Amino acid sequence: GAGVSQSPSNKVTEKGKDVELRCDPISGHTALYWYRQSLGQGLEFLIYFQGNSAPDKSGLPSDRFSAERTGGSVSTLTIQRTQQEDSAVYLCASRHKRGGGLTNDFKETQYFGPGTRLLVL
Amino acid sequence: DQQVKQNSPSLSVQEGRISILNCDYTNSMFDYFLWYKKYPAEGPTFLISISSIKDKNEDGRFTVFLNKSAKHLSLHIVPSQPGDSAVYFCAASSSGNTPLVFGKGTRLSVIA
């Protein structure tokens, strides 16, 4: 598809279980970002990938959260031993590679997937 | 401390009138600003952006104004349509591969 896709769209899990969320970025986009939106809050940055490396993990709320990206494409966000406060919408965004003669607007804009709604009971 | 603030959680406007959504920021390093629109159960959709070298950017019914000295930007929608009803997020970034910093959003309701 042309856009960012995420799976599953909804996930209900029990407290203490592990969950894995997947993001497929737009083809050719080298930068990938994970955000989450808790109820009534704005979007909170979690982690950023440039290619397969993660130069910025500063937003991960605890060591129960980890993410990886393979082949410069698909990314997986894993939450171990889920807690009720992890309930949120987890959003993935991708951005085009910088440079290449593109306008700044095109290079800087992040495009979002539909999100995964996680509910921890 | 919130670096991007949208002080109005909601706004109600009549169809055909102008909608003005406001956003303030505190970080002077921000040099790129975006507005996203979000419908329920969907991801944010990019709407319009502006870099700090400009003070206005227009795209159809949507215009974004940037006042760097006041660290303020606004989104104008004219004329407003019922389909514009959504939550609008203001976001900012600084040069380099930095994540976007979002405001908490303003819910716009356009009444027919």
Side-chain angles (χ1 to χ4, degrees):
Chain A
V4 178
S5 60
Q6 292 185 245
S7 62
S9 54
N10 292 282
K11 177 73 177 178
V12 180
T13 189
E14 292 179 347
K15 177 181 170 181
K17 295 282 179 73
D18 298 351
V19 296
E20 209 170 79
L21 313 178
R22 177 187 168 108
C23 171
D24 280 272
I26 293 172
S27 178
H29 281 196
T30 58
L32 186 148
Y33 301 79
W34 283 98
Y35 297 85
R36 75 175 176 182
Q37 184 182 16
S38 303
L39 192 63
Q41 300 296 314
L43 280 74
E44 172 192 10
F45 166 72
L46 298 177
I47 187 170
Y48 152 69
F49 287 92
Q50 180 62 44
N52 290 336
S53 65
D56 190 347
K57 304 180 182 179
S58 62
L60 294 177
S62 78
D63 58 8
R64 296 186 295 105
F65 287 71
S66 62
E68 64 176 17
R69 189 180 185 196
T70 54
S73 182
V74 171
S75 176
T76 303
L77 177 70
T78 302
I79 309 173
Q80 295 178 308
R81 304 180 303 281
T82 52
Q83 302 294 312
Q84 288 179 333
E85 61 262 28
D86 299 335
S87 297
V89 177
Y90 288 81
L91 290 153
C92 174
S94 68
R95 179 177 54 72
H96 201 280
K97 177 182 178 180
R98 290 170 184 268
L102 299 168
T103 64
N104 280 340
D105 287 356
F106 187 69
K107 287 186 291 185
E108 298 292 344
T109 301
Q110 295 181 22
Y111 296 90
F112 283 82
T116 293
R117 281 145 200 83
L118 174 66
L119 178 61
V120 181
L121 300 176
Chain B
D1 184 35
Q2 266 193 291
Q3 297 186 68
V4 176
K5 297 178 185 178
Q6 293 177 257
N7 291 320
S8 298
S10 63
L11 175 68
S12 195
V13 173
Q14 271 206 306
E15 181 179 8
R17 307 294 285 268
I18 184 171
S19 296
I20 300 176
L21 296 101
N22 293 303
C23 178
D24 296 290
Y25 62 95
T26 57
N27 189 340
S28 58
M29 298 299 290
F30 288 146
D31 58 4
Y32 195 69
F33 305 89
L34 309 90
W35 285 94
Y36 285 85
K37 180 168 76 170
K38 188 178 184 301
Y39 293 117
E42 294 184 11
T45 303
F46 170 70
L47 196 57
I48 193 169
S49 62
I50 189 167
S51 70
S52 58
I53 62 172
K54 298 180 181 178
D55 54 19
K56 177 183 175 182
N57 189 24
E58 193 171 349
D59 183 2
R61 296 186 297 113
F62 303 91
T63 303
V64 56
F65 295 92
L66 175 63
N67 182 334
K68 289 189 289 294
S69 61
K71 294 192 177 67
H72 176 83
L73 65 154
S74 60
L75 174 68
H76 292 210
I77 307 172
V78 55
S80 301
Q81 299 173 353
D84 296 330
S85 297
V87 177
Y88 289 78
F89 288 98
C90 170
S93 71
S94 54
S95 296
N97 294 320
T98 58
L100 295 174
V101 179
F102 284 85
K104 292 192 175 183
T106 295
R107 181 178 301 278
L108 174 66
S109 299
V110 180
I111 304 161

